Amino acid sequence: MDFARLWLGLLLSLVTALDFNYHHQEAMEAFLKSVAQNYSSITQLHSIGKSVKGRNLWVLVVGRFPKEHRIGIPEFKYVANMHGDETVGRELLLHLIEHLVTNDGKDPEITNLIDGTRIHIMPSMNPDGFEAVRKPDCFYSNGRENYNLYDLNRNFPDAFEFNNVSRQPETEAVMKWLKMETFVLSANLHGGALVASYPFDNGVPATGTLHSRSLTPDDDVFQHLAHTYASRNPNMKKGDHCKNNVNFPNGVTNGYSWYPLLGGMQDYNYVWAQCFEITLELSCCKYPREEKLPLFWNDNKASLIEYIKQVHLGVKGQVFDHNRIPLPNVIVEVQDRSHICPYKTNRFGEYYLLVLPGSYVINVTVPGHEPHLTKVVIPEKTQNFSALKKDILLPFQGQLDSIPVSNPSCPMSPLYRNLRSHSAATKPSLFLFLVTVLHIFFK
Ligand SMILES: *[C@@H]1O[C@H](CO)[C@@H](O)[C@H](O)[C@H]1NC(C)=O
Ligand SMILES: *[C@@H]1O[C@H](CO)[C@@H](O)[C@H](O)[C@H]1NC(C)=O
Ligand SMILES: *[C@@H]1O[C@H](CO)[C@@H](O)[C@H](O)[C@H]1NC(C)=O
Ligand SMILES: *[C@@H]1O[C@H](CO)[C@@H](O)[C@H](O)[C@H]1NC(C)=O
Ligand SMILES: [Zn+2]
C-alpha cells in the first residue's frame, strides 16, 4: 500500500475542491475554464452570448461526446440565476459540475449519466444582476432584473397574450441557444420560496384558468417531474417550510395556480423549443449567507441528479423514409396529447417523447400525407439511462425533400388565445393581489 500516494491524493482532493463561497463572474469563469481544461474529454465550455454589460453567458457541457450532438443521446439543461438576486442555484450548479466531472469513471450512476446524456449547465443567465447586489439579502433587491431593469422571466414571447416588452440580450441569447440544440428536458433555478413549479405560468380558460390553474396535455409527466425533484429535497417536500408563504402540498405546484405571469421562460421552452422545463425555487431566502451553502448542496444534490435522469423517460428514435434516409421536420406526437406547436424531428430525423410508462399511439405526420400511427408500450421498469428506442419507417416512395423546414404554424404570437373557452372572465387569486401589492416576486 502506497501511503504517500494516498495522502497526496487526499491532500490534492482537498486542495482542488470547490469552496462554498459565492463565486463572482471572474472566479466563476476561472473555475469553469479550469474544469474545461482538466476534464477536456468530457466537457466543453462556451459562451452563448453576452449580457448588457458585456459579461459572457457561460455554458459548460458535460457528456461522453461534449462537443456535438450524437444520435440517441438526449440534450438536457439547467439554467440558474436568471434573477440575479436569487443566488443558491448559481452555486449549486458549480458544485454539480464538480460532482459530475470528479465522479466520472468512479461512481457508476454518474458514469452512466455522462455516457447517455449531454448535460448543459448555465450557472448564471443574469451575471449583471448578480454583480449588482452588494450583499446577501433574503428579500427582493434590484439585482433581480438585468442591467436595463427588465425581468428576464417576463421577457419571452408568450403563448397566451402579446408580450410587447423589449427583448433583452440575455433573452435573445437563450432563444438562439434553444434553436441550436434540441433540448428535451430542463429546469430553471430560482429562490425566495421552496417549491417545484410546472407549466403553464400563464393561461386561458381552455387550459383551466377558471379553476385557478393552467395545465398542459402533458400534466401527468410534469407532475412526475416536479415530484421527482421535490420528494428528494427534505425541506421542499414538506411544502410549508418558508414562513409567511403559501402551502404547497408535497412541495409541488402548477405555475398559474401559484400566480400567473406573462413572458416566462418555462412556457416558452415547452411551446416553442419542444423542451419540458420546470421552475425550481430552492431557498426561502433569495440570497442566503455563504455558511448556508453546504446545507443547500446537501439538500439538493440527490434531486439535481435524479431530475437529469428523467430525460430518459418515454420513447425516442428516428423517422426514416423507405430508403432509410432520416426525415427531419416530420411531426411526431403522442395521440391525444398533441402540442399547439407540433413537436417535430430534428435535423437527424430524431424525436424524443417524454411519457410515463403505459401504452401510447405515436402519430407521425409528414405534412400533406396521411398520418402514420404506431403503438408503443413503455415498460413499468425504469429504463437504464435510456428511453425505449423505436425507429419508425415511413412507407413513402421517393424523396420527401418538399417538407417545409420552417414552422409556419408556430409564429411567436399568442397561439392559445383563440382556443375555445367557456367563459369570458378569469378569476385572479387573492394571492396574486397580495403579490402585486407587496411586490414580492419569486419565479
Ligand atoms: C485543475 O488542475 C490543476 C492542476 O492540478 C489544479 O490546481 C486545479 O485546482 C484543477 N481545477 C479543477 C477545477 O479541478
Ligand atoms: C402589443 O402588440 C400587439 C401586436 O403588435 C398589439 O396588437 C397590441 O395592441 C400591443 N399591446 C400593447 C399593450 O401595446
Ligand atoms: C395525427 O397528427 C396530425 C398532425 O398533427 C393530425 O392532423 C391528426 O389529426 C392526427 N391523427 C390522429 C389519428 O391522431
Ligand atoms: C444498467 O446499468 C448498470 C450499471 O452500469 C449495468 O450494470 C447493467 O448491465 C445495465 N443493465 C442493462 C439492462 O443495460
Ligand atoms: Zn426568480
Side-chain angles (χ1 to χ4, degrees):
M1 190 76 216
D2 188 346
F3 283 105
R5 185 178 299 174
L6 192 70
W7 275 110
L8 188 67
L10 194 65
L11 200 67
L12 270 182
S13 72
L14 288 176
V15 169
T16 58
L18 181 69
D19 57 42
F20 283 97
N21 296 323
Y22 283 111
H23 295 82
H24 284 261
Q25 185 77 1
E26 247 179 62
M28 184 177 83
E29 278 180 11
F31 170 73
L32 295 173
K33 284 178 179 166
S34 177
V35 168
Q37 194 163 39
N38 293 9
Y39 301 92
S40 58
S41 68
I42 55 162
T43 61
Q44 190 216 5
L45 179 64
H46 66 121
S47 164
I48 62 156
K50 285 186 194 251
S51 68
V52 174
K53 292 284 274 176
R55 293 188 172 96
N56 275 310
L57 304 172
W58 292 110
V59 173
L60 187 92
V61 188
V62 183
R64 197 60 63 211
F65 307 100
K67 291 179 177 58
E68 64 203 5
H69 177 73
R70 290 291 167 110
I71 289 162
I73 297 185
E75 309 285 337
F76 174 93
K77 69 184 160 73
Y78 275 134
V79 175
N81 197 217
M82 81 186 299
H83 292 140
D85 62 339
E86 298 169 10
T87 59
V88 170
R90 175 184 173 117
E91 295 303 321
L92 290 186
L93 290 189
L94 297 181
H95 283 276
L96 178 67
I97 287 168
E98 185 187 57
H99 185 75
L100 292 174
V101 297
T102 57
N103 283 292
D104 181 39
K106 298 194 180 108
D107 176 337
E109 186 187 40
I110 300 295
T111 309
N112 280 333
L113 201 55
I114 292 176
D115 282 343
T117 325
R118 195 157 164 250
I119 305 162
H120 303 247
I121 300 178
M122 182 190 245
S124 181
M125 183 179 157
N126 183 5
D128 295 350
F130 179 75
E131 298 303 331
V133 193
R134 289 285 117 221
K135 58 177 184 357
D137 185 341
C138 286
F139 302 101
Y140 169 87
S141 59
N142 56 5
R144 175 185 176 89
E145 291 87 9
N146 77 342
Y147 189 76
N148 293 336
L149 302 181
Y150 283 90
D151 185 331
L152 299 178
N153 208 25
R154 309 288 184 275
N155 202 240
F156 284 83
D158 192 278
F160 302 95
E161 300 169 68
F162 280 105
N163 189 7
N164 295 355
V165 296
S166 126
R167 196 132 302 133
Q168 295 302 297
E170 294 87 352
T171 313
E172 297 274 13
V174 167
M175 288 170 65
K176 204 175 93 203
W177 183 39
L178 299 190
K179 281 210 192 92
M180 278 159 43
E181 304 285 356
T182 45
F183 290 109
V184 177
L185 180 65
S186 172
N188 171 12
L189 280 50
H190 293 250
L194 209 50
V195 67
S197 168
Y198 59 86
F200 289 112
D201 269 331
N202 203 353
V204 287
T207 61
T209 55
L210 299 178
H211 306 282
S212 301
R213 62 186 188 214
S214 180
L215 305 182
T216 70
D218 299 298
D219 195 56
D220 53 347
V221 182
F222 275 116
Q223 288 201 31
H224 165 82
L225 292 169
H227 278 289
T228 296
Y229 198 94
S231 65
R232 283 167 182 80
N233 180 313
N235 290 320
M236 190 183 287
K237 75 178 175 197
K238 289 182 203 154
D240 62 351
H241 190 72
C242 300
K243 311 284 179 287
N244 310 322
N245 212 332
V246 276
N247 285 357
F248 300 112
N250 304 311
V252 164
T253 185
N254 169 245
Y256 186 97
S257 303
W258 184 13
Y259 64 93
L261 63 87
L262 165 71
M265 188 159 74
Q266 74 175 7
D267 289 5
Y268 181 82
N269 267 266
Y270 177 70
V271 173
W272 280 291
Q274 307 195 174
C275 176
F276 285 32
E277 180 170 286
I278 68 171
T279 299
L280 298 169
E281 302 282 347
L282 299 179
S283 57
C284 302
C285 179
K286 285 176 186 248
Y287 194 161
R289 286 176 299 120
E290 285 173 337
E291 302 88 275
K292 305 269 189 209
L293 292 174
L295 293 173
F296 284 114
W297 172 238
N298 235 21
D299 283 355
N300 286 284
K301 186 170 135 187
S303 295
L304 286 167
I305 290 163
E306 197 61 28
Y307 186 76
I308 302 175
K309 288 196 210 160
Q310 306 310 309
V311 76
H312 301 293
L313 283 175
V315 54
K316 68 182 178 187
Q318 278 175 293
V319 178
F320 297 103
D321 76 358
H322 83 306
N323 291 322
R324 273 200 92 84
I325 303 205
L327 296 172
N329 236 30
V330 170
I331 297 172
V332 183
E333 296 270 45
V334 176
Q335 204 171 18
D336 299 326
R337 50 178 71 206
S338 57
H339 300 101
I340 195 142
C341 281
Y343 280 25
K344 295 186 167 185
T345 53
N346 65 14
R347 64 201 160 97
F348 306 103
E350 287 177 283
Y351 71 91
Y352 294 85
L353 295 171
L354 294 184
V355 284
L356 301 179
S359 300
Y360 300 94
V361 174
I362 302 181
N363 173 356
V364 180
T365 309
V366 174
H369 295 260
E370 282 297 300
H372 180 274
L373 305 178
T374 308
K375 251 185 112 162
V376 290
V377 178
I378 317 285
E380 253 328 306
K381 201 171 160 295
T382 47
Q383 297 292 306
N384 213 8
F385 298 92
S386 173
L388 178 72
K389 201 165 175 310
K390 180 88 188 164
D391 289 341
I392 294 167
L393 275 88
L394 297 183
F396 289 120
Q397 308 290 318
Q399 295 290 68
L400 288 166
D401 47 17
S402 59
I403 304 173
V405 174
S406 66
N407 199 341
S409 61
C410 284
M412 298 216 182
S413 60
L415 301 163
Y416 282 89
R417 199 175 41 162
N418 300 322
L419 285 189
R420 213 162 354 107
S421 62
H422 304 289
S423 160
T426 58
K427 179 169 65 75
S429 67
L430 176 64
F431 184 69
L432 174 63
F433 171 74
L434 287 174
V435 157
T436 311
V437 169
L438 299 175
H439 196 68
I440 41 168
F441 289 119
F442 317 93
K443 59 186 183 178

